[in-house]
Amino acid sequence: MHKPVLTQEVLNIFDPQPGDNYIDCTFGFGGHAQEILEATKPKGKLLGIEWDEKVFKEDQKQFKSNKQLILVNDNYANLKKIIDKNKFGKADGILLDVGISSWDIEESEKGFSFRKEEKLDMRFNTKNDITAKGIINNWNQEDLEKIFKYFGEEGFARQIARRIIQERDIKPINTTNDLVEVIAKSVPGFYRRNPNFPAKIFQALRIAVNGELDNLTKVLSQAVEALNKGGHLIVISFHSLEDRIVKNYFKELKANNTAKVLTKKPLTATLEEIKNNPRSKPAKLRAIQKL
Ligand SMILES: C[S@@+](CC[C@H](N)C(=O)[O-])C[C@H]1O[C@@H](n2cnc3c(N)ncnc32)[C@H](O)[C@@H]1O
């Protein structure tokens, strides 16, 4: 369903021992968490946070009999509140494996993939009012261009935004295919020949819909605060914008002697892992130890 990435690297850094307590801010299908739960048996606790309601419900079923686990359906940006509400106390390690899972792409039917004909939704949590369809059909040209440029690092941001405004006046852009067609009409032929040409626009929309960079920025300081002295924070990210936020924040922590940076350069997947799980290729892991 979903293969966790850089699992051995995560375990090497955390080195979880019986009785240790962990927080997994992006529980997903519990790939990383399962290994940690096993190593911290029988008394170690794990607070697992998952924002997506469907994934959360599946987790509740899957891990029903696990007494070590506390599962919460919330946004990790609310980490401090979640910890307080669950009286979890300080953690020995905190993991963030940000972004989407293979399930989101293959099974969620939320329009995350430009290769599948689905409604343009892209919300991790349906309580969120903003959908990808809402953005595409309502935002003005300037704001669309901004998200395509900054969240998607898309070179044809202006052209695509302009075309969206024109096309949606003729007929609403409701599905992934509708959007791919509009993008295809807006970019030059050489660009369109790259089979991944809509990817950056889809990435930008996902980030905007879910406030992903904001969430990441908000959680980092709360995570450091929630660690025991000597505890570890690991962040796995999948694109340069997220990695930059993490890198800069870790630099600050080093400068004010709050933490030791354990990864001068980010760790990446081995060739063997990439062969078994191509999704691991762009993954970058950065870690600190709280002083
Ligand atoms: C890359 S997957 C994590 C996979 C997990 N480590 C595993 O091994 O199964 C990221 C997960 O985080 C969830 N997620 C994304 N943003 C979130 C947020 N702000 N708060 C909590 N969960 C979030 C997604 O729904 C997704 O299930």
Side-chain angles (χ1 to χ4, degrees):
M1 198 187 255
H2 173 83
K3 288 188 195 159
V5 305
L6 297 164
T7 309
Q8 197 48 53
E9 290 78 357
V10 168
L11 293 174
N12 289 347
I13 293 170
F14 279 157
D15 190 20
Q17 300 296 319
D20 286 350
N21 294 331
Y22 282 86
I23 301 175
D24 186 344
C25 293
T26 47
F27 193 83
F29 290 92
H32 292 105
Q34 218 154 10
E35 303 282 340
I36 297 168
L37 286 164
E38 191 59 37
T40 55
K41 259 172 143 168
K43 294 231 170 101
K45 294 257 178 265
L46 190 140
L47 176 64
I49 305 169
E50 173 53 53
W51 203 14
D52 188 299
E53 299 106 323
K54 268 197 193 165
V55 179
F56 174 74
K57 281 205 181 114
E58 197 52 44
D59 291 334
Q60 279 184 314
K61 270 194 247 155
Q62 203 74 25
F63 289 86
K64 202 167 150 196
S65 58
N66 194 308
K67 301 268 182 295
Q68 294 171 266
L69 179 63
I70 302 157
L71 271 173
V72 178
N73 183 210
D74 203 335
N75 182 342
Y76 60 61
N78 302 322
L79 182 62
K80 185 174 175 345
K81 266 196 224 149
I82 299 168
I83 292 173
D84 291 348
K85 199 169 162 199
N86 289 281
K87 301 189 173 57
F88 193 74
K90 299 265 189 217
D92 298 298
I94 299 181
L95 176 66
L96 279 149
D97 174 16
V98 296
I100 48 178
S101 65
S102 318
W103 179 87
D104 285 311
I105 296 173
E106 303 300 335
E107 319 258 339
S108 72
E109 299 177 352
K110 290 183 181 178
F112 285 117
S113 168
F114 60 84
R115 293 202 172 86
K116 289 171 150 243
E117 168 68 333
E118 286 169 3
K119 278 190 194 141
L120 277 174
D121 187 321
M122 297 199 190
R123 290 170 299 173
F124 284 127
N125 190 293
T126 54
K127 286 190 197 102
N128 183 353
D129 293 333
I130 306 171
T131 63
K133 182 177 154 189
I135 291 180
I136 287 292
N137 289 286
N138 296 303
W139 284 21
N140 65 34
Q141 186 178 325
E142 204 184 348
D143 289 343
L144 286 175
E145 182 182 339
K146 247 189 229 161
I147 62 164
F148 297 161
K149 197 163 153 193
Y150 294 113
F151 297 165
E153 301 181 290
E154 167 61 66
F156 293 101
R158 175 162 301 168
Q159 290 86 331
I160 298 170
R162 195 186 302 138
R163 191 78 194 217
I164 286 172
I165 305 289
Q166 291 164 359
E167 297 283 335
R168 77 186 189 195
D169 269 354
I170 305 166
K171 105 178 155 44
I173 301 164
N174 290 328
T175 68
T176 49
N177 281 3
D178 293 346
L179 180 59
V180 171
E181 263 175 43
V182 177
I183 302 170
K185 283 188 202 163
S186 354
V187 297
F190 79 89
Y191 197 74
R192 215 166 31 238
R193 279 192 282 280
N194 174 350
N196 286 328
F197 75 88
K200 291 177 172 175
I201 297 298
F202 275 68
Q203 172 185 305
L205 279 170
R206 208 194 80 210
I207 292 176
V209 166
N210 297 294
E212 290 182 36
L213 301 183
D214 251 15
N215 294 337
L216 182 60
T217 307
K218 282 185 190 148
V219 73
L220 289 173
S221 57
Q222 299 178 60
V224 174
E225 179 59 37
L227 280 175
N228 279 320
K229 283 215 163 92
H232 297 97
L233 167 63
I234 298 180
V235 186
I236 303 173
S237 65
F238 289 83
H239 53 76
S240 54
L241 298 162
E242 292 164 342
D243 185 52
R244 206 173 307 147
I245 291 173
V246 179
K247 184 171 92 180
N248 290 337
Y249 183 66
F250 283 7
K251 250 193 214 161
E252 259 178 54
L253 293 176
K254 185 183 168 196
N256 57 32
N257 247 349
T258 309
K260 183 172 151 192
V261 177
L262 304 176
T263 45
K264 242 189 189 162
K265 288 231 169 92
L267 303 185
T268 52
T270 58
L271 287 177
E272 188 169 347
E273 178 168 4
I274 295 171
K275 210 170 89 192
N276 290 329
N277 181 12
R279 207 186 73 85
S280 66
K281 194 171 174 203
K284 290 201 165 98
L285 181 156
R286 293 188 187 266
I288 51 125
Q289 181 171 32
K290 185 167 169 181
L291 295 172

